[in-house]
Amino acid sequence: YAAGGEALVLQIEGGRHVRSYGDESPPIVAAAWSAARRAVLIADRDGGVSRYDLASGRRTDLIGHAGSVSVVACAGEQVATGAYDGSARLWRDDGSLLASFSPGDGPVQALAFDAVRGALWVGTWGGRVIVYDQRSGAATTVCRLTESIRTLGLAADGRHLVAGDNGGRFQVIDLEG
């Protein structure tokens, strides 16, 4: 994404510019790819989340938070959002709410979908990682890492989690070991 509320889509090989999106909306703070819809999800500073169709460029406003969104993630037909108000939400990509979580411990800064466990991993400013069951919304695992969590990544096989913090460090965790 680029400053000034514009999103750019580039072709990986050669970096060819595919399409620019944007208007006079608030600055973009997070972006995710929706492979199921061949679209880009964009979160803005004012709490809105919009989907831009890659082929047509059509914008559909989907969902939002009362405050600033900090992170957006997508898996299949589901979208997860985290906000500076400390909430995380799980949505269908048509904008209907599936679950809402309040992990506490400050803003939600990181999200990762876990297809193996059917779960959503949520990382907070306060250094907690909470795993929520996507069907029930119940917290199944809570752990505290050393620093505020800035990003989470999960291996496709679900075995390893990487957590990066605001201090410039990252941890790789063997979830089955």
Side-chain angles (χ1 to χ4, degrees), residues 1-10 21 27-32 40-43 70 72 84 150:
Y1 56 87
E6 182 179 40
L8 304 174
V9 177
L10 302 175
Y21 303 90
I28 295 168
V29 295
V40 178
L41 293 159
I42 301 295
S70 53
V72 62
Y84 287 101
R150 185 68 192 139

Side-chain angles (χ1 to χ4, degrees), residues 4-60:
E6 182 179 40
L8 304 174
V9 177
L10 302 175
Q11 181 177 332
I12 297 298
E13 288 187 29
R16 183 179 67 84
H17 181 258
V18 176
R19 180 178 290 275
S20 294
Y21 303 90
D23 47 33
E24 296 301 316
S25 56
I28 295 168
V29 295
W33 179 259
S34 172
R37 295 266 189 176
R38 289 196 40 83
V40 178
L41 293 159
I42 301 295
D44 67 49
R45 180 187 63 204
D46 290 347
V49 177
S50 300
R51 180 179 60 230
Y52 291 84
D53 182 86
L54 185 58
S56 70
R58 188 173 137 248
R59 174 183 170 166
T60 304

Side-chain angles (χ1 to χ4, degrees), residues 110-129:
L111 299 166
F113 279 98
D114 185 340
V116 173
R117 294 171 187 81
L120 177 66
W121 292 71
V122 176
T124 69
W125 178 263
R128 288 176 45 186
V129 176

